[in-house]
Amino acid sequence: PVLVDPFAGGAPLTGEDADLLVTGATGAHLEPSMLTPARPLEIVLRILNNIRAWATARPERTDVALWAVDLSLLLPSHPARLRYERAQLLVQRGEVQRGAAEMEEYAEVLDTIEPTTAETIRHQAQAARALLN
């Protein structure tokens, strides 16, 4: 296998270089399991997660965060919690009715596995709707 540093223009890395990078970033040494190539959909989801993180740090860019969440939800395998994140973004953007409705739909999904969390989310949906009155 060939290792390259994507942040250094694709410069080749030795095993020692890679170990230093991993240790510096995580505090743990490079393990062989870390060298398993990611599948294409995992790469796409990771890129979208990075975009969401970038947008989260910029409250004025909820449009970008919503775009990244919407794309993530199109992937065949995605965290269910993204539906809740989407609902929150809709509320932040002033689309309160849509956001509250999506919170309630997400709460329905959670009902059987985490009823307490589902109830909390329902209260958040009610609180969001109360802002309209």
Side-chain angles (χ1 to χ4, degrees), residues 7-22:
F7 300 103
L13 294 172
T14 65
E16 185 178 319
D17 294 336
D19 185 53
L20 286 172
L21 281 175
V22 170

Side-chain angles (χ1 to χ4, degrees), residues 90-101 125 127-132:
L90 288 170
V91 170
Q92 285 175 354
R93 295 178 52 75
E95 297 181 53
V96 176
Q97 289 292 5
R98 281 181 62 202
R129 283 196 172 105
L131 294 174
L132 292 175

